[in-house]
Amino acid sequence: MRAVVLRDVGQPTAVEDLALRRIGDQEVRVRLQASGVCHTDLSVRDGSMPALLPCTLGHEGAGIVTEVGGAVTAVSTGDHVVLTWNVPCRRCPHCLRGETQLCPHGLKHAFGGPYAESPTGPVWPEMGAGTLAEETLLPAAAVVPVDQSLPLDHAALLGCGVTTGVGAVLRTAAVRPGESVLVIGCGGVGLAAIQGARLAGAARIIAADRNAAQLPAATASGATDTVDVGDADLVGAVRDLTGGAGVDHGIEVVGKPATIRAAFDATRRGGAVTLVGAAGFTESVTLPALMLMADGKKIQGSVYGASDPARDIPVLAELALRGRLDIEALVTRRIGIDDVEAAFTDMVAGRGARSVVCFGPPS
Ligand SMILES: [Zn+2]
Ligand SMILES: [Zn+2]
């Protein structure tokens, strides 16, 4: 099977031919139909996210189960499934508190043994999923069956970006009808957050991006106002739009100290700042110490949209099937497996939302 393989951090990937190892008792084999290209894939490629190398990139995919291990009962051959990278243990203190996204064992499978062989040796799957490939092998607990009428190139995005963005707004921020929401960063996750705010019944949804070309997609996803950050002072623009007060919720989906600070400053006294973007390990944010207390704002991180894939992916799939969640609005382009490097170039330039790799029929 063909796979997008990273051999050394900082180097371009190449499409290679791999052979999957034998399936384990608790595993499933999936023929991928589609895989999103997520910013985290780029972070693995440039070395800012850890991975065992060489690895097949990709962790946001959907496909059809082609084989199940002897002990697998929850899914069957022929099932349409969304792949998830988080496999909570369901026994640790975090899991027992309902914080499965923080389970310290959730990525254990990613750092176990290799899943495939190349002509020059073993290969690991990025985040235990390796979705930028025609096939993969993963724990049965890492796949979530979905209705067969949901297009798989939409279902793929439920594996990471949609769950992260919608969950940040509905679960972490818990936006209520009538509230105002600012979303900074209108890539795939940011657009999903905007759609989450629309689902929550937010009255005002302000979308901001450094690239004005992203803003029409934000409007299509439900933004009521847009701010071209390349052109305007973001905090000033948000204050103007909200009568000087600031928004109830500042959602940051970039992961840069400057935009985290802007989210804090653009949020009203007593409001909540929700951080979704992943910053670099060595970056720090400076906030005014007195205002941290005196303004009574809440600052909270959101990992994987505080979602439990087994519980929340079927809900998001149902919302997509009923037309309440517009996943097509997040898809910038459909590409082939040989075009992943070009998708990274677009990502670095801040162009577009999600590139989705579509795999051809089985050969
Ligand atoms: Zn756990
Ligand atoms: Zn991702």
Side-chain angles (χ1 to χ4, degrees), residues 37-41 59-60 85 126-127 159-161 164 189 354:
V37 183
C38 178
H39 201 275
T40 303
D41 303 325
H59 60 274
E60 178 185 86
W85 48 268
E126 179 205 308
M127 295 176 83
C160 186
T164 299
V189 176
R354 264 306 192 260

Side-chain angles (χ1 to χ4, degrees), residues 122-330:
V123 176
W124 282 261
E126 179 205 308
M127 295 176 83
T131 57
L132 287 168
E134 291 170 337
E135 287 190 280
T136 192
L137 201 57
L138 69 179
V143 302
V144 181
V146 288
D147 194 292
Q148 304 218 349
S149 53
L150 182 66
L152 286 165
D153 54 358
H154 287 175
L157 273 57
L158 300 181
C160 186
V162 170
T163 305
T164 299
V166 174
V169 171
L170 295 186
R171 302 193 59 80
T172 308
V175 170
R176 295 188 307 181
E179 289 190 315
S180 55
V181 177
L182 164 68
V183 176
I184 305 177
C186 300
V189 176
L191 294 180
I194 290 166
Q195 295 205 17
R198 179 167 66 183
L199 279 167
R204 201 86 188 256
I205 305 172
I206 304 169
D209 201 281
R210 65 180 162 135
N211 182 354
Q214 299 293 102
L215 297 174
T219 303
S221 285
T224 58
D225 302 87
T226 57
V227 179
D228 173 359
V229 182
D231 216 46
D233 153 40
L234 171 57
V235 176
V238 172
R239 291 202 173 268
D240 284 347
L241 287 166
T242 53
V247 287
D248 296 312
H249 294 275
I251 314 280
E252 202 271 0
V253 199
V254 180
K256 296 266 187 255
T259 40
I260 292 170
R261 177 63 198 263
F264 180 81
D265 290 340
T267 298
R268 69 162 170 85
R269 298 188 75 201
V273 181
T274 301
L275 305 179
V276 185
F281 269 111
T282 55
E283 287 176 311
S284 298
V285 183
T286 303
L287 294 170
L290 174 62
M291 292 306 126
L292 267 179
M293 179 278 290
D295 280 349
K297 299 181 193 180
K298 185 158 101 177
I299 302 178
Q300 54 197 345
S302 182
V303 179
Y304 205 14
S307 298
D308 179 337
R311 178 193 61 204
D312 296 314
I313 287 176
V315 174
L316 294 169
E318 182 74 9
L319 286 165
L321 271 174
R322 305 288 161 215
R324 309 261 297 152
L325 194 58
D326 177 10
I327 297 180
E328 187 59 32
L330 275 50

